[in-house]
Amino acid sequence: MVLYQLEGPESRGALKSDTDTIEALRDALFNAKKTIRICLDGPGEGADNGDLIEDLICETPGNVKFFIAPGSTGALPRLSLMTGVVTYGADELAFTEEELEELGEVTGIDGLEAGNMIQATGGWPALVRLMCQTPNPDLPPASWPETRSYFRDNLLSVLPDNARRFVCNAAMLEEISAECYDYVYKTQQADQEISFLNEKFALLAPTASSGKRLTMHPVLREYLRSVFSATQRERRSYVLKRVAFWHWRRGEYLHSINVALEASDHRWARVVSDSIILDVALRQGEIEVLRTWFEKVPARTIKKIASLSIGYAWTLYFSQQARQAEEMLASSRHPISRGLGSLDEEGWRELVKAIGKATHDELPESQALCEKWIDAFGDRNLVGKGAALTCQAFIASSDRRFEELEELLHKAAVVNQSSNQFYAFIWLKTAEIQTELFKGDMVRAMHLLRQANKTAEKIGVPKSFLSKMLGVLELQILLEQDHHLVSPESAQASFDFALNYGVTDILCGCTQACSRLLYHQGFRDRAMALLEQARLAASERELPRLNILTKVQLAEFTLLNNEELEPPILPDESELTFTPNQNRAIQAHIALVRSMYRLRLGKQFGVAGNYAREALQAASAISDARTRVAAQYCQALAAFALGSSKPAKRMMLDANLHAEHLNCHFTPLWIKEALLSLSPLARNLFDDLPDTAEAATTKDPEVRAGDLSAAPVPGHTDSVITVRQISILKCISNGMTNKAIAERLLVTEDAVKWHLKKIFSELGVTNRVQAVTEARLRGLL
C-alpha cells in the first residue's frame, strides 16, 4: 500500500515476492527527497510486522516520519519508544476551529458555524461530516438519525457482545473506572473489558483529573445512554441509584446529586450532612443543579434540616428570588431544625444573608455585613471568608472603586485558592472582567476572560455555571469587537441565563448589549420586548437600580422609534438613591438621551452640547469609555450644527481613536446610526471626516519590518503614552510621513513632531523603528 502510493501502479510489475516488495519499499523510502508521512493504524498482532516497521524506522532518513495509533497490543510499546516515532490519538485527529475555518471555502462553513460545530461535535471528523449533512444541525448530535446510524453500523455492529454490553453500561457512569463499574453492576471483569476496548477501539480516554478514571466522547456517551434506556428501561433507576451511592461513599457529593436528580431519588436529603450541602452550594456553587434538586425535595424536609434551609436560601438568592430566600433563612432558625448549633458557630446563616444582600443590589448594607462577618468568623471559616472577600470585590467593581478593587481581588484570590473555593473564583473573575467592561477596555476584558477559562480548566472548576456566566460577559466583548460574531440566538440564550442568575450589573450589561444588537439587526420589536422583560423582572424583584437603568434604555429606544417630537420619559433626579458612582453612571446616560432629543428637535443645539458635555464629565469621572465616546459624538454634532466644523471633527476623531485603542467598535457604530436617524446634519459631519482607516501601503518598509519583528503582549501597561500618541505610533508603523499623519489626525506637523519627541522619551528609543518595536513589546500596539 505504501509503495503503491509512492511509485504508482507501475511499481507492481517487477515484484515477484514479499521479499522483493520489502526491498523496493526500502529503496523508495531511502531515496525519497520530499517529506513522507506514514500513518499506521496500529502495527497489528504479528511480530513480523513490528520487526519490519522497526527496521524501516532505523534505516530511513529523517524526512520519512512514522505516526502510529496508540494502544498496547503487538509491537507498539517498543515502537513508540523509538526516537522519531509519534503516537497519535483522538485529540490529534480532531478538527480545531481554525482548521474548520480554513476549510470554509470548500464546505461553506463560516467562522460562527465552525465554532458551533466544535462545540457540538468536539471536532470528531465523522460527526463534523454528519453535521454538514443532517437537515437538523441545531438538534443535539446524538439525536441525529445520521449519528445513530453511524454508531450502530460502525461501532456496535463490530463490537463483541461483551464489549457492546460494557460500553452501554459504562455510559451510565458519571466517570468510568473499573472499581465503579464493578460495584454498580456487581462484576469483576471491568479491567479486562477496559483493556480490550482501549487496545482495539480506543473508545475511552483518561480524564483531566485522574489517569485511573476514563471518559468517552460526550456524543457517543449520550447515544449509548439512550440505547441503555431503550433496552434496559426497568433497570435504569436502580443503576443510577447505585452510581449515586458509589460517589456518596467516596465523598463526591456533586456527582451524587447529579445522578440522584436523574434517578428522581430525593430521599437521601433526610440524611444529608451539614458539610455536604454547604460544600456543594457555597464552595462549588452548582446553583442550577441545586435549584432543580431543591424544588423537588418536600418543603417540610428542607425546613427540618438547617443546612438544607441555608443552602436553599443561598440558591434562591443567586436565582434572584430574594424574598423567598429571606423566608427560607427565617425557617432555618426554627428550634426543631437539625444542626442549628454547629452552623451558627461558623456563621453560615449570617454569611448567606450578607452576600444575599449584594445579589439583591443592596450593596452598602452587604458591604457592612461582610466586614462584620469577616471580623467575627473569618479566622475559623476559610471558605466563608473567601466568599465574603469576593462579595466585597464585586461591590467595589459595581461602585467603580477600581483602586480598592485591586487590593480586594488579591486578598480574595489568596483565600479562595487555599480553600478550593470554586464558586467564589467564578464571581471574582466576573468582577474583574466586569470592571473592564465598565471601563470599555475590550482588549483587557478579552485577555482576562481567556485567562479565566485557562485557570478554571487547570484547577478543575465545575464548568456548567462558569461557562454560562463567562458567556454572558463574552457576548458583550464580542459585540464591541465584531458584532457579526454574535447571533440573535446566542444573545437570547445569554439574556435568558442573566435574567435568572445575573445580579443587577450583569443583567443590565447583557440586556443593553442584546437589545442594541437586535435593534441594529432590524429586530426592533424584539429589542423593545427584551427591555420590557428586564424592566418587569426589576419590578417583581424590587430592584430599583435595574428598573431605572432599563427605563433609560427604553427611553433611548423610544426616542429612536418615535416619529413624534415628544420628550423622552426619564427618571427624576430624586430617584437616584444609589452610591455616588452608580448615580454618575445613570446621570451620564440620562444626559446623553437628553442631548439626543435636542439634536432631534433640530434646534437648541447649544443645550444639546451642554447635555453632551454633562454626560462626558460624568462618564470621565467613572472611567466609562463607551459612554464617553457616545457623548463626544453628540457634542461634536452639536458643535457642527452651531458652525464649529473643525472642533467638531477633532472631537469625532478623538472619540474614534479612543474607541479603536480599546477595540471598542460597536459603540461608535451604534451612536453614529442613532444620530443619522435623529438629525440630517449628521450625514454632513460624518461625510466630511478624514479617512480613519490605517494606510494600506507603506513608504518606509524598514519601519514595517521592525514592527513585525516584535510579538505583541496582551493587555495594556501603565505607560503614560496617550491615546493620540498611540495613534501616531500606529501611523508610523504603516510608514506614514509626518505630513500624512498630521492630515489624518487634524493637527499640525509641529504637533506630530512634539508627540514623537514625547514618545521617544517615554519609550527610551531614538528613532521610529525602535519606537514601533518597543511599543509592540509593551502591548501598546
Side-chain angles (χ1 to χ4, degrees), residues 595-649:
S595 176
M596 293 166 68
Y597 172 64
R598 294 318 191 279
L599 291 170
R600 179 172 184 176
L601 290 177
K603 53 186 177 180
Q604 300 181 352
F605 293 116
V607 178
N610 288 337
Y611 276 129
R613 197 174 300 110
E614 183 181 321
L616 182 62
Q617 290 172 349
S620 298
I622 56 173
S623 302
D624 183 350
R626 288 188 282 179
T627 304
R628 177 182 167 183
V629 166
Q632 284 177 291
Y633 264 70
C634 292
Q635 192 178 14
L637 182 55
F640 185 78
L642 292 171
S644 300
S645 176
K646 193 169 184 178
K649 293 176 186 176

Side-chain angles (χ1 to χ4, degrees), residues 393-394 397 405 409 426-436:
F394 202 93
S397 172
L405 172 65
L409 287 172
I426 296 171
W427 282 99
L428 197 64
K429 289 300 178 184
T430 299
E432 199 172 0
I433 298 167
Q434 181 69 59
T435 295
E436 300 308 323

Side-chain angles (χ1 to χ4, degrees), residues 314-575:
W314 175 267
T315 302
L316 289 168
Y317 271 128
F318 278 94
S319 301
Q320 302 307 309
Q321 300 178 61
R323 191 181 306 111
Q324 298 93 315
E326 290 176 359
E327 292 172 359
M328 190 55 59
L329 271 185
S331 71
S332 71
R333 294 182 177 277
H334 198 283
I336 65 170
S337 290
R338 195 191 78 199
L340 198 59
S342 60
L343 291 169
D344 283 345
E345 287 177 5
E346 295 188 338
W348 287 116
R349 184 188 295 103
E350 291 82 357
L351 177 67
V352 170
K353 181 178 180 181
I355 296 176
K357 292 293 182 182
T359 68
H360 198 239
D361 208 36
E362 299 175 67
L363 301 186
E365 186 174 355
S366 176
Q367 174 75 25
L369 289 174
C370 283
E371 290 175 358
K372 182 179 178 181
W373 189 93
I374 291 173
D375 291 340
F377 302 101
D379 292 338
R380 49 185 144 149
N381 187 340
L382 205 58
V383 170
K385 184 177 181 180
L389 287 169
T390 299
C391 182
Q392 289 183 317
F394 202 93
I395 293 170
S397 172
S398 178
D399 197 24
R400 278 76 164 176
R401 291 181 277 117
F402 300 136
E403 291 183 4
E404 183 180 339
L405 172 65
E406 289 298 320
E407 183 180 353
L408 285 168
L409 287 172
H410 175 71
K411 286 182 178 179
V414 170
V415 177
N416 291 336
Q417 288 175 20
S418 62
S419 60
N420 291 325
Q421 235 282 41
F422 298 139
Y423 197 48
F425 168 87
I426 296 171
W427 282 99
L428 197 64
K429 289 300 178 184
T430 299
E432 199 172 0
I433 298 167
Q434 181 69 59
T435 295
E436 300 308 323
L437 287 172
F438 285 146
K439 295 178 181 179
D441 191 342
M442 301 303 144
V443 177
R444 178 69 177 160
M446 181 58 82
H447 173 63
L448 289 173
L449 186 135
R450 289 171 177 163
Q451 191 181 64
N453 276 317
K454 288 180 181 178
T455 305
E457 186 75 27
K458 185 177 180 181
I459 65 178
V461 176
K463 292 183 178 180
S464 176
F465 194 88
L466 171 79
S467 59
K468 291 178 182 178
M469 180 58 74
L470 294 185
V472 170
L473 301 173
E474 185 178 29
L475 168 87
Q476 299 173 59
I477 300 169
L478 290 177
L479 176 67
E480 286 291 352
Q481 292 184 332
D482 184 356
H483 66 278
H484 297 100
L485 297 177
V486 184
S487 67
E489 293 74 24
S490 63
Q492 185 66 52
S494 290
F495 173 76
D496 291 342
F497 176 80
L499 191 65
N500 287 323
Y501 300 102
V503 296
T504 291
D505 290 305
I506 299 295
L507 178 54
C508 184
C510 183
T511 301
Q512 184 185 73
C514 294
S515 60
R516 285 186 171 180
L517 175 67
L518 290 170
Y519 195 96
H520 168 75
Q521 294 176 333
F523 305 110
R524 298 188 174 186
D525 290 343
R526 283 179 62 185
M528 295 290 281
L530 188 141
L531 285 170
E532 287 290 357
Q533 194 176 353
R535 188 191 62 78
L536 181 62
S539 298
E540 290 176 346
R541 299 170 188 172
E542 299 176 359
L543 296 170
R545 186 162 67 97
L546 178 61
N547 201 351
I548 287 176
L549 287 165
T550 310
K551 282 182 179 178
V552 177
Q553 189 66 49
L554 276 167
E556 181 181 344
F557 277 33
T558 303
L559 177 63
L560 297 177
N561 273 338
N562 194 356
E563 295 182 1
E564 303 297 328
L565 297 179
E566 300 175 2
I569 302 173
L570 292 164
D572 189 78
E573 190 75 20
S574 61
E575 297 179 62

Side-chain angles (χ1 to χ4, degrees), residues 6 24 67 79 125 195 210 220 349 390 399 476 541 630 777:
L6 288 174
F67 298 81
L79 293 176
S195 297
S210 171
L220 174 61
R349 184 188 295 103
T390 299
D399 197 24
Q476 299 173 59
R541 299 170 188 172
L777 288 171

Side-chain angles (χ1 to χ4, degrees), residues 172-383:
M172 301 304 292
L173 308 181
E174 282 289 287
E175 291 181 336
I176 301 168
S177 69
E179 295 85 354
C180 182
Y181 187 95
D182 285 339
Y183 171 82
V184 172
Y185 293 103
K186 302 179 181 179
T187 71
Q188 296 179 346
Q189 311 298 324
D191 265 332
Q192 298 174 22
E193 294 294 345
I194 289 173
S195 297
F196 173 79
L197 286 168
N198 278 341
E199 291 170 3
K200 299 293 185 181
F201 300 97
L203 289 180
L204 306 175
T207 63
S209 59
S210 171
K212 292 184 178 180
R213 298 191 181 190
L214 304 168
T215 184
M216 64 176 67
H217 192 283
V219 179
L220 174 61
R221 180 175 184 257
E222 195 61 32
Y223 165 74
L224 293 174
R225 286 169 71 89
S226 69
V227 173
F228 183 97
S229 297
T231 58
Q232 304 186 61
R233 186 182 306 275
E234 69 286 350
R235 296 186 66 213
R236 184 175 180 278
S237 180
Y238 170 76
V239 166
L240 288 172
K241 289 174 185 177
R242 286 188 65 83
V243 175
F245 193 68
W246 162 264
H247 289 294
W248 179 278
R249 290 174 58 193
R250 297 171 63 87
E252 297 163 351
Y253 304 118
L254 183 56
H255 283 323
S256 284
I257 290 177
N258 283 328
V259 180
L261 274 170
E262 193 174 355
S264 299
D265 180 15
H266 311 292
R267 291 171 297 172
W268 61 278
R270 298 169 188 160
V271 295
V272 72
S273 71
D274 299 338
S275 60
I276 292 172
I277 195 64
L278 292 173
D279 176 82
V280 174
L282 275 72
R283 190 173 70 83
Q284 301 189 45
E286 289 294 323
I287 299 301
E288 290 180 287
V289 172
L290 286 172
R291 181 179 176 182
T292 304
W293 179 73
F294 272 122
E295 287 172 353
K296 294 181 180 180
V297 177
R300 62 181 180 276
T301 301
I302 296 176
K303 291 179 179 179
K304 287 179 181 178
I305 305 171
S307 61
L308 291 182
S309 301
I310 294 172
Y312 192 23
W314 175 267
T315 302
L316 289 168
Y317 271 128
F318 278 94
S319 301
Q320 302 307 309
Q321 300 178 61
R323 191 181 306 111
Q324 298 93 315
E326 290 176 359
E327 292 172 359
M328 190 55 59
L329 271 185
S331 71
S332 71
R333 294 182 177 277
H334 198 283
I336 65 170
S337 290
R338 195 191 78 199
L340 198 59
S342 60
L343 291 169
D344 283 345
E345 287 177 5
E346 295 188 338
W348 287 116
R349 184 188 295 103
E350 291 82 357
L351 177 67
V352 170
K353 181 178 180 181
I355 296 176
K357 292 293 182 182
T359 68
H360 198 239
D361 208 36
E362 299 175 67
L363 301 186
E365 186 174 355
S366 176
Q367 174 75 25
L369 289 174
C370 283
E371 290 175 358
K372 182 179 178 181
W373 189 93
I374 291 173
D375 291 340
F377 302 101
D379 292 338
R380 49 185 144 149
N381 187 340
L382 205 58
V383 170

Side-chain angles (χ1 to χ4, degrees), residues 678-715:
L678 293 174
S679 172
L681 292 173
R683 177 69 60 189
N684 298 332
L685 170 60
F686 298 143
D687 288 347
D688 204 26
L689 282 173
D691 184 13
T692 56
E694 299 263 348
T697 59
T698 174
K699 299 177 182 177
D700 190 346
E702 185 181 359
V703 172
R704 287 188 61 80
D707 177 34
L708 296 173
S709 67
V713 178

